[in-house]
Amino acid sequence: RCSVDNRVTRVAWLNRSSILYAGNDKWCLDPRVVLLANTKTQYSIQIQDVDVYDEGPYTCSVQTDNHPKTSRVHLIVQVSPKITQISSDISINEGGNVSLICIATGRPDPTITWRHISPKAVGFISEDEYLEITGITREQSGEYECSASNDVSAPVVQRVKVTVNYPPYISDAKNTGVPVGQKGILLCEASAVPSADFQWYKDDKRLAEGQKGLKVENKAFFSRLTFFNVSEQDYGNYTCVASNQLGNTNASMILYGE
């Protein structure tokens, strides 16, 4: 907007050195630039669908009693943040190093932060485009969120999944007492990424699925060995072996009579 009075004889709007409007006459070819008002008090133009290239100085030039006067306004164009590049999901062995990157555009330049989506995580773990984790642990697996913010609009967020592989660790293996003729269960719990494969041995002999009177159930984090009708011959020492491509571990447990 440009305020004028009745002493003004000529008016024009310029963008840098290019004339946009002179009086009612349009000099620019851009259809987005339109004349809003040319009255005794106001000479105004409008730029529709503003683009970053519209940023810069605009000059209102008026002629009064043969004395030209100008007033200048600077248009600042703001752009919402947009994440243009972000790391792909990654799988890495425990102890390895991870580098994540998140690049965003916007005007003004957005602030980029990383945080770990975890119940134990507190606050940001990085306040720039890069997130470096050295000697990663299994507790650091999960989703990492990149946020780009510049106060023009709500922050934009994207996530990267980090999978940390580690060898099996048997967390629970208990001796069990069961009377003859009853149902008995031995349980072997193991955490591992990727999930562990389980095998059962009695002394040095491997127990096969479908063996008479036995059932082996293998799940992602445990294996269950069931005896439907415990006999004296079933009592003894059993070994559970949990393995994945990173290693294996075993635990022994005793099935005994009460």
Side-chain angles (χ1 to χ4, degrees), residues 30-246:
D30 193 334
R32 300 174 305 126
V33 181
V34 296
L35 184 65
L36 274 191
N38 183 8
T39 68
K40 291 179 180 179
T41 57
Q42 190 182 118
Y43 185 55
S44 301
I45 59 170
Q46 182 183 69
I47 305 166
Q48 300 164 343
D49 192 20
V50 166
D51 193 290
V52 290
Y53 303 109
D54 297 319
E55 183 162 304
Y58 290 78
T59 304
C60 175
S61 176
V62 301
Q63 187 86 12
T64 61
D65 306 325
N66 297 324
H67 293 297
K69 290 184 177 179
T70 60
S71 60
R72 177 178 285 194
V73 59
H74 197 92
L75 176 65
I76 299 168
V77 179
Q78 297 181 316
V79 181
S80 298
K82 181 182 179 182
I83 294 173
T84 57
Q85 181 187 339
I86 191 167
S87 297
S88 302
D89 292 349
I90 185 173
S91 179
I92 188 165
N93 293 348
E94 190 169 40
N97 300 332
V98 171
S99 296
L100 301 180
I101 185 172
C102 179
I103 295 175
T105 57
R107 292 166 71 114
D109 289 338
T111 299
I112 295 178
T113 53
W114 281 99
R115 68 188 184 102
H116 187 195
I117 308 300
S118 161
K120 295 179 182 175
V122 179
F124 302 124
I125 49 175
S126 174
E127 300 206 10
D128 65 16
E129 296 173 345
Y130 298 95
L131 171 61
E132 306 279 351
I133 306 172
T134 54
I136 195 166
T137 65
R138 62 194 72 177
E139 289 79 22
Q140 290 173 301
S141 68
E143 289 193 313
Y144 287 80
E145 183 178 86
C146 168
S147 173
S149 170
N150 69 358
D151 294 333
V152 177
S153 62
V156 290
V157 296
Q158 285 190 32
R159 291 183 178 185
V160 177
K161 186 178 182 182
V162 177
T163 302
V164 179
N165 304 314
Y166 57 91
Y169 165 75
I170 293 178
S171 54
D172 195 20
K174 294 189 180 77
N175 297 334
T176 304
V178 181
V180 170
Q182 296 293 311
K183 182 179 179 181
I185 293 174
L186 293 177
L187 193 63
C188 179
E189 294 183 12
S191 58
V193 177
S195 298
D197 293 319
F198 293 94
Q199 294 177 348
W200 287 92
Y201 293 84
K202 184 180 184 190
D203 302 322
D204 294 329
K205 185 181 177 185
R206 185 178 170 189
L207 303 179
E209 174 63 74
Q211 209 166 314
K212 190 178 179 184
L214 289 180
K215 184 182 181 186
V216 179
E217 290 176 272
N218 291 335
K219 302 290 185 182
F221 298 107
F222 70 88
S223 181
R224 183 188 292 124
L225 178 61
T226 303
F227 304 84
F228 294 110
N229 187 0
V230 172
S231 67
E232 288 283 351
Q233 288 76 28
D234 292 326
Y235 294 142
N237 189 49
Y238 290 82
T239 303
C240 165
V241 179
S243 59
N244 67 8
Q245 52 259 55
L246 296 178

